[in-house]
Amino acid sequence: MNNDSSFGYIRSMMRTATSRGWMACAINMRGQGGVELTTPRAYNAGFTGDLRGVILQLEKRLVRSTTTERRSGRRRSDTRGNANENKNKNENENDATKSANPTNPDNNNDGYDDDDDVIHQGGPIFLLGYSLGANIITKYLGEESLHGTLPKCIAGGAAMGNPLHIHSGSIAFPWNMVLAAGIKRSILQNYKTLKQFREPGYQTAVKKALMSPTIAQLDDTFSRYLIRNEGKPPYEMKLGYDGGGEEYWRDASSHRYVAHVSVPLLKISAQDDFLVFGQFAKKLNYCLENPNVIVVKTRCGGHLGWQESPPPSPSGNCDNKGRGLFGGSGSWSDVAVADFIEALLQIRGEDREEKKKKKRMMERVVGGYYHDVDDGGDDDESTTIRNEGHALNNSYSPRQPKILSRL
């Protein structure tokens, strides 16, 4: 809450990710990170529209980048493989014909080969959120998974210090006043934009929010003017909670959505987290109902404070595991999340290879004959395939991806 990409724990996690060869992108909420607020609505715990827009943009950029790289590689391969000018000319004419034909399978903009799995399009992308951000990504994953609209590029996520149940009235003194002070500071920083909004009662609500001593009172005062989105496609934006703070807190609570998450999701919370663990523990059963969710409870760590100081790396410098000069990435959770993502990538690769293996087996079928197909593997991976010009009877059953059981 009120933090941005300049904070240490965000930069530490991004450093760990990039040290493993991944691209890292941090999201600054509306009006945060020194970026001027350009709308009369700031961010809140329940609005997933901004995250949804960022993911769609990243997916498009990654697909475009992948397409460019593969086309460049294809051109280089064609150049090396040409033996003479006539062959070059014929291939160029064929390429021109393919480009002019919109139905040609090679003339697509998906950025990968025909035999590639569609789940790898534009990614994969893994989402990571801290505290309020953890609540937002959990809510987003649940909304999209529930209605079958989760982008194929999303492969998993991690939620650190997620309260699950949002209710500002449960925050004890003095943190209820500290958090309120942070929000009021954000309001003052963006007051130049907020004061231009002339909706009836809005300016009065801003002044009352600035005078509210606790975050619960501030939420209740300002909830009628918060931005929100529908929980079903097309996730249209709406304004305000007529029921006040209680309606806002209920809508923002991610425990109502976590049971629907359809991709692997890691949740880490510390038992001595004075801010959110109490609410998290009350709604833990919603996480345990979903086989896609892994819950990790640590004995210590406070609120997002999993600092560590392990032995230094052999090289003395930052290695490919994100360990720094004095050992450690700065936070135990950084390495834990990175290892989780790495395991998922490995499993996805195994499943992808198995899919290609099945496809190769199917290509060995010739119509009108019997073929015994045995790839030399386990007995359950051998099959007899029969095709007599009618229905194909294939008893081959590939190993289904049971990701969490294999981590």
Side-chain angles (χ1 to χ4, degrees):
M1 185 182 295
N2 301 321
N3 293 352
D4 55 68
S5 57
S6 68
F7 278 67
Y9 64 91
I10 299 293
R11 300 178 68 178
S12 175
M13 183 64 235
M14 295 183 72
R15 183 167 56 248
T16 300
T18 54
S19 70
R20 301 201 184 196
W22 307 330
M23 290 182 288
C25 171
I27 300 177
N28 287 331
M29 296 295 189
R30 298 188 184 204
Q32 302 300 309
V35 180
E36 182 180 358
L37 182 67
T38 58
T39 67
R41 310 292 178 179
Y43 76 96
N44 62 73
F47 181 58
T48 58
D50 288 342
L51 175 61
R52 184 171 288 106
V54 169
I55 290 172
L56 293 177
Q57 287 296 320
L58 286 177
E59 181 182 24
K60 290 180 181 179
R61 293 185 186 186
L62 289 171
V63 169
R64 188 182 304 116
S65 174
T66 306
T67 304
T68 303
E69 291 174 1
R70 296 205 174 198
R71 287 177 178 173
S72 298
R74 191 173 299 167
R75 292 193 198 99
R76 290 192 294 269
S77 299
D78 289 344
T79 302
R80 289 192 297 266
N82 293 336
N84 52 59
E85 293 182 0
N86 291 333
K87 187 175 181 179
N88 288 340
K89 182 177 180 181
N90 292 336
E91 289 181 354
N92 290 335
E93 290 175 354
N94 291 336
D95 290 341
T97 302
K98 290 180 180 180
S99 298
N101 182 8
T103 62
N104 177 53
D106 291 336
N107 186 33
N108 55 48
N109 195 33
D110 58 7
Y112 46 176
D113 299 335
D114 296 336
D115 62 342
D116 283 351
D117 195 340
V118 71
I119 63 175
H120 290 77
Q121 177 175 356
I125 295 176
F126 296 88
L127 305 180
L128 171 61
Y130 292 89
S131 193
L132 193 70
N135 184 80
I136 291 174
I137 71 161
T138 302
K139 185 172 185 282
Y140 165 80
L141 291 173
E143 286 177 344
E144 297 280 354
S145 298
L146 176 60
H147 300 285
T149 56
L150 186 68
K152 295 292 184 181
C153 63
I154 302 299
M160 322 298 289
N162 180 12
L164 287 177
H165 178 54
I166 300 291
H167 197 292
S168 299
S170 64
I171 301 176
F173 176 85
W175 305 112
N176 56 354
M177 301 185 72
V178 173
L179 293 177
I183 297 177
K184 286 185 278 187
R185 182 189 64 178
S186 180
I187 293 175
L188 292 174
Q189 289 174 341
N190 295 285
Y191 189 68
K192 180 180 177 181
T193 299
L194 297 177
K195 70 178 183 180
Q196 299 175 5
F197 193 53
R198 299 302 178 186
E199 181 179 349
Y202 183 83
Q203 294 302 324
T204 301
V206 170
K207 294 177 182 178
K208 287 184 177 180
L210 291 173
M211 298 298 293
S212 300
T214 67
I215 186 173
Q217 292 173 285
L218 192 152
D219 281 352
D220 190 58
T221 298
F222 216 58
S223 59
R224 292 168 178 80
Y225 302 95
L226 295 178
I227 190 172
R228 59 186 295 191
N229 59 269
E230 289 282 2
K232 57 185 179 181
Y235 309 105
E236 294 180 332
M237 288 188 293
K238 298 173 62 178
L239 296 178
Y241 294 89
D242 295 334
E246 291 292 341
E247 183 184 356
Y248 162 55
W249 296 327
R250 181 182 182 278
D251 178 67
S253 296
S254 60
H255 76 270
R256 301 171 54 237
Y257 301 90
V258 69
H260 305 295
V261 175
S262 60
V263 293
L265 177 63
L266 173 66
K267 286 190 171 292
I268 301 180
S269 186
Q271 291 179 303
D272 63 347
D273 188 335
F274 56 89
L275 199 57
V276 304
F277 186 76
Q279 298 298 317
F280 173 82
K282 292 178 181 178
K283 302 298 180 181
L284 182 58
N285 60 301
Y286 290 87
C287 297
L288 302 179
E289 292 175 359
N290 189 340
N292 291 318
V293 179
I294 294 180
V295 178
V296 176
K297 293 192 298 182
T298 62
R299 292 184 178 181
C300 58
H303 189 60
L304 313 179
W306 292 283
Q307 271 65 38
E308 66 171 355
S309 181
S313 60
S315 63
N317 296 310
C318 186
D319 61 18
N320 63 350
K321 295 297 183 181
R323 301 183 179 93
L325 180 61
F326 300 103
S329 63
S331 173
W332 166 84
S333 63
D334 293 351
V335 178
V337 171
D339 286 346
F340 176 73
I341 294 174
E342 206 163 70
L344 292 180
L345 289 173
Q346 180 179 351
I347 291 172
R348 287 164 62 88
E350 293 173 358
D351 291 336
R352 199 177 183 192
E353 287 301 318
E354 188 140 353
K355 180 179 179 181
K356 290 182 179 180
K357 180 180 177 182
K358 179 186 176 183
K359 183 177 180 180
R360 288 193 297 268
M361 294 180 66
M362 297 297 294
E363 289 174 349
R364 296 169 62 182
V365 176
V366 180
Y369 295 92
Y370 292 94
H371 292 273
D372 291 330
V373 181
D374 190 349
D375 63 350
D378 298 334
D379 293 339
D380 61 344
E381 291 188 352
S382 63
T383 181
T384 299
I385 302 178
R386 175 182 182 183
N387 182 9
E388 295 180 330
H390 302 291
L392 180 66
N393 180 17
N394 179 15
S395 60
Y396 177 77
S397 179
R399 176 167 54 100
Q400 296 299 318
K402 299 178 181 179
I403 294 180
L404 296 190
S405 63
R406 290 153 58 193
L407 285 174

